Amino acid sequence: MDQVASPPTALERELAVEQAHVDLVYEHLAQATRSARKVASQGQDLYRSDRETWVREEDGTALFERDAFAFQAARRLAILDAEHEGLVFGRLDHTDGEIRYIGRIGVRDADYEPLVIDWRARAAEPFYRATATDPMDVVRRRVLRCRNDIVIGIEDDLLDDDHGRDDLVIIGEGALMAALKRARGAHMRDIVATIQAEQDEAIRADHAGVTVIAGGPGTGKTVVALHRAAYLLYSNRRRFERGGILVVGPSGLFMDYIERVLPSLGEDSVTLRPIGGVAADTLGFTASRIDAAGAAAIKGSLRMVPLLKRLVNLPLLDGDAEHPPLRVTVKGEALTLDASTLGRIRRDVLTRTKANAGRAAAEAAVMDALFERLPAELELDKDVMAELVGDSASYRMFLQAWWPDLTATDVLRRLASPRVVARIGEGILDGSEQAALAASYAFEDWSVADVALLDELVAMIGPISSDEPEEPLLFLPDGTEFNEVVTTADRLRDVREHDPEADAHDTFAHLLVDEAQDISPMQWRMLRRRGSQASWTIVGDPAQSSWPDPAETESALADLIGSAPHRDFRLSTNYRSPAEVFELAAQVVLRDFPQADVPVAVRSTGIEPELLVVPEAALERRLDEKIAELAGLVEGTIGVIVAPSRLSSLAVADLPSARTHAGRVSFLSPLNAKGLEYDAVVVVGPDEVVAESPGGTRVLYVALTRPTQRLVTIDIAEPGAWRAALS
């Protein structure tokens, strides 16, 4: 006897309805992709020159037009070809019966009717802003969960019960809560399907001036800012794609964590740099090492500006009374210039030009000074004397040593000398600060704080001028190189000279700075050089600051904003941390930082944080046991946050559980934990975290607010002083 199939459930029926629409979308997407690929292929054949040995002006124009045509086609193809996980993620049922689907990109049918509305379009705003209090003519909001092109789940919110149909099906517990319960992975997920109203308001704010987004831990500041970058490109693509958007974060680890968010939203034209890599355009490298707290505070302070100016002005040759820095012989007469005279010349030249552009002026001033000392009886013209002196090997050696082409790294390395630091630091740094600054340059590599100083020096000394201008090359179809790419008109016009005073760094149309509370005043100066004419989005939370002087940072930020139009947004809800975890973290920060903006945690797990005390000798064994236990309790990632002094030893310790779950377990410092989140977190030595961080308790607050499910703290030997804040 055949078994009678049971009728489909309400969920199965609704899944089938949504799957039919998703299939239709992908069908039209495939058609659009084939069309774009055809156009891109045709573009390669348009305007092709038949010249293989030389290029006419009209052929050059044709090549440009062909390339522009092909570029636009290829750009559209890249958007269509992208792996759009969850391309269609939302549906709105309106009171008038209209149904709108929301997705990562807009897709239209053959009649140009929208099958999917881009989430950034104005028509999509009710998906994020409608509430039961203000439904915005929306009866039901539905979020679709998809795996590739298959609909696997539905979450509904009923917003207007009065206009709901009798057959309207409501499924699930709500999209937001469902999303919050999912395990975390190695990369940040976008929140495009679950953006909340206050987040959406910040995302869609006007681009002009400065937009400040503030909020406590777990409020979604970072992901909101990234969605804002995608929105700016959508709403004003010509401006921001041409001028560029720079996203700055606290560390390379953080940038790796967020790197997939913008591509998942259909945008890959944004530049991502950690703060230690902002000046890679001028320096050629990215720094990741963190200075000790004392040295970092000195290097980040605006006191470094006058100190660096003194460093640039500091003579490279001091000499002494018996051996003056410069001694030349002209017609048997010895001419000398002492350190004082050479110092005066150097200071005078540097008041008028940058060091790398001032060598010629400095040499001329040296010749003038030597000529003043030339005995009149020799009866030599200045030009003759200059020629005689200039031919001297000793003079050329002196000049190279006294006024060499300077690099920022060469200049800053001079701070490794306690004598140099003492000389230029007088009246700026006290004795202990001078010692700490000099000692910080015992390392071979540069620190994150050094990057801002090096960038400042690049601006002070200017680029090294090149005497050999580069000629552009033309590659013909057979690979032949031609220097002759200019037209007759080009050859007849004035030659464009290289400006040695020009800025070497990139500039952008918009800068988005995350974890801005940790940006030092010197780093703000570095960022301003890359956005002097830019609009800004600044994201942060003063309560999580690692900078010891918040007032100085606020002053630097005020200088940045100036009189520009600006708007402030506050995110008030903690979506990351369970209430049990966040209550503990809030108590810790409010004791020492009562003005902290503490958000409200929206969910509870019923699991209290676990506070352990472990003897030093048993630390590794107990940590190993705890990692193994947590790996069985959570599905996603586990973060072990440790003070810098202990991090390297624990990271290489023999912990079998860490090896077993290597893909899920990360060991990191509190500062590198900024902006990250894990399903479970173990904070080892909270008192050590406080003691070794310039921000003290505020940095511990960061560590305690990283988990989405479970928190474990391990005090070593005895209960830590940090627990005094707990009720």
Side-chain angles (χ1 to χ4, degrees), residues 71 74-84 104-105 119-120 226 229-231 233-234 237 240-242 244-247 258-272 508:
F71 170 79
R75 184 178 175 277
R76 177 62 178 167
L77 182 61
I79 294 173
L80 295 172
D81 262 347
E83 296 182 9
H84 293 296
R104 298 177 183 276
I105 61 173
W119 68 275
R120 295 164 290 193
L226 293 173
Y231 174 77
L233 284 165
Y234 174 86
R237 185 168 298 280
F240 292 113
E241 194 166 68
R242 180 178 60 191
I245 294 179
L246 173 63
V247 176
I258 70 170
E259 65 178 356
R260 296 185 183 179
V261 172
L262 284 166
S264 75
L265 299 172
E267 301 294 350
D268 57 2
S269 56
V270 174
T271 301
L272 303 178
F508 295 86

Side-chain angles (χ1 to χ4, degrees), residues 139-150:
V139 178
R140 179 182 67 183
R141 174 173 51 218
R142 168 168 288 180
V143 173
L144 284 62
R145 285 188 61 208
C146 297
R147 181 175 296 120
N148 296 321
D149 58 353
I150 305 299

Side-chain angles (χ1 to χ4, degrees), residues 671-718:
L671 292 182
N672 280 334
K674 290 283 181 89
L676 307 182
E677 61 183 20
Y678 302 88
D679 288 304
V681 167
V682 183
V683 181
V684 179
D687 278 358
E688 294 176 353
V689 170
V690 173
E692 298 179 25
S693 303
T697 302
R698 290 174 293 171
V699 176
L700 176 60
Y701 179 53
V702 172
L704 296 174
T705 55
R706 297 309 94 189
T708 65
Q709 296 184 41
R710 294 175 177 268
L711 171 67
V712 178
T713 67
I714 299 179
D715 289 316
I716 300 168
E718 60 183 11

Side-chain angles (χ1 to χ4, degrees), residues 20-238:
H21 188 82
V22 169
D23 290 343
L24 180 63
V25 170
Y26 274 94
E27 178 183 339
H28 282 275
L29 187 68
Q31 292 176 0
T33 301
R34 288 192 295 270
S35 176
R37 187 171 286 112
K38 182 179 179 180
V39 171
S41 176
Q42 291 173 342
Q44 296 298 321
D45 298 325
L46 294 177
Y47 311 110
R48 187 180 296 278
S49 172
D50 60 357
R51 307 286 182 173
E52 295 188 354
T53 57
W54 57 280
V55 176
R56 304 175 302 183
E57 288 185 53
E58 59 266 32
D59 287 338
T61 302
L63 290 170
F64 174 80
E65 293 175 349
R66 184 205 70 188
D67 290 344
F69 185 83
F71 170 79
Q72 293 299 329
R75 184 178 175 277
R76 177 62 178 167
L77 182 61
I79 294 173
L80 295 172
D81 262 347
E83 296 182 9
H84 293 296
E85 180 74 21
L87 171 61
V88 186
F89 59 75
R91 167 175 165 166
L92 293 175
D93 292 74
H94 288 265
T95 54
D96 61 1
E98 182 184 6
I99 296 174
R100 293 178 179 175
Y101 283 89
I102 313 299
R104 298 177 183 276
I105 61 173
V107 180
R108 297 180 180 270
D109 63 15
D111 298 322
Y112 214 64
E113 291 296 321
L115 295 173
V116 185
I117 296 172
D118 192 298
W119 68 275
R120 295 164 290 193
R122 184 173 295 276
E125 287 189 23
F127 186 78
Y128 302 110
R129 301 205 179 180
T131 64
T133 306
D134 181 15
M136 301 177 69
D137 299 324
V138 175
V139 178
R140 179 182 67 183
R141 174 173 51 218
R142 168 168 288 180
V143 173
L144 284 62
R145 285 188 61 208
C146 297
R147 181 175 296 120
N148 296 321
D149 58 353
I150 305 299
V151 183
I152 62 174
I154 294 172
E155 297 289 342
D156 289 333
D157 293 302
L158 180 62
L159 302 180
D160 191 346
D161 193 24
D162 294 337
H163 291 83
R165 306 187 310 269
D166 292 339
D167 61 345
L168 192 68
V169 178
I170 303 298
I171 293 174
E173 60 178 338
L176 176 62
M177 297 308 296
L180 295 178
K181 291 180 179 180
R182 295 207 297 269
R184 269 50 176 181
H187 297 275
M188 175 181 282
R189 298 191 298 261
D190 65 66
I191 60 167
V192 66
T194 57
I195 294 171
Q196 301 301 293
E198 67 175 7
Q199 297 173 327
D200 188 66
E201 187 179 1
I203 290 170
R204 298 176 190 268
D206 188 71
H207 73 272
V210 180
T211 299
V212 179
I213 303 174
T219 54
K221 299 185 298 298
T222 296
V223 72
V224 165
L226 293 173
H227 284 68
R228 173 163 171 76
Y231 174 77
L232 291 175
L233 284 165
Y234 174 86
S235 61
N236 202 334
R237 185 168 298 280
R238 183 175 182 181

Side-chain angles (χ1 to χ4, degrees), residues 609-616 618-627 630 640-643 646 650 681-689 700 704 711-720 722-723:
E610 188 175 2
L611 311 183
L612 304 179
V613 179
V614 175
E616 179 77 49
L619 176 60
E620 292 185 9
R621 176 179 59 81
R622 290 288 288 122
L623 178 59
D624 182 62
E625 294 171 352
K626 187 53 61 176
I627 292 172
L630 291 172
V640 183
I641 301 177
V642 192
R646 193 182 289 273
L650 279 186
V681 167
V682 183
V683 181
V684 179
D687 278 358
E688 294 176 353
V689 170
L700 176 60
L704 296 174
L711 171 67
V712 178
T713 67
I714 299 179
D715 289 316
I716 300 168
E718 60 183 11
W722 71 278
R723 296 194 188 192

Side-chain angles (χ1 to χ4, degrees), residues 338-534:
D338 58 20
S340 174
T341 301
L342 291 171
R344 176 183 53 77
I345 292 173
R346 183 177 183 86
R347 290 190 298 272
D348 181 62
V349 171
L350 292 178
T351 60
R352 295 181 278 113
T353 185
K354 296 180 179 181
N356 282 333
R359 182 167 174 169
E363 184 174 7
V366 166
M367 289 299 180
D368 287 343
L370 290 174
F371 187 73
E372 291 176 357
R373 289 160 174 74
L374 187 71
E377 57 266 24
L378 292 182
E379 298 182 348
L380 290 178
D381 291 337
K382 184 188 296 185
D383 292 343
V384 175
M385 186 209 71
E387 184 176 352
L388 292 173
V389 173
D391 289 338
S392 166
S394 61
Y395 173 78
R396 293 197 299 271
M397 292 175 62
F398 156 80
L399 191 64
Q400 182 59 36
W402 179 63
W403 205 289
D405 288 332
L406 296 176
T407 66
T409 52
D410 290 338
V411 176
L412 198 61
R413 278 294 180 201
R414 298 185 71 187
L415 294 183
S417 166
R419 177 173 168 270
V420 168
V421 174
R423 185 170 174 181
I424 63 175
E426 185 178 357
I428 299 176
L429 305 176
D430 62 31
S432 61
E433 290 175 321
Q434 293 175 13
L437 181 61
S440 73
Y441 290 103
F443 298 90
E444 293 185 1
D445 60 331
W446 299 105
S447 72
V448 172
D450 287 329
V451 168
L453 304 184
L454 291 167
D455 192 66
E456 191 79 28
L457 284 169
V458 169
M460 286 183 181
I461 66 179
I464 297 174
S465 58
S466 175
D467 297 328
E468 300 181 2
E470 294 184 2
E471 297 185 32
L473 297 177
L474 174 67
F475 294 85
L476 293 179
D478 64 354
T480 305
E481 297 180 355
F482 279 81
N483 288 327
E484 187 69 26
V485 298
V486 296
T487 66
T488 300
D490 292 325
R491 289 192 294 270
L492 292 176
R493 74 182 181 185
D494 292 337
V495 176
R496 178 179 294 179
E497 300 290 342
H498 170 71
D499 181 6
E501 302 292 318
D503 291 333
H505 52 74
D506 293 338
T507 57
F508 295 86
H510 189 86
L511 270 76
L512 194 160
V513 184
D514 199 6
E515 303 294 345
Q517 74 279 348
D518 292 332
I519 302 296
S520 73
M522 290 300 296
Q523 289 169 338
W524 279 120
R525 289 176 61 90
M526 173 179 66
L527 292 172
R528 289 180 69 175
R529 284 190 280 272
R530 282 149 185 86
S532 57
Q533 304 297 319

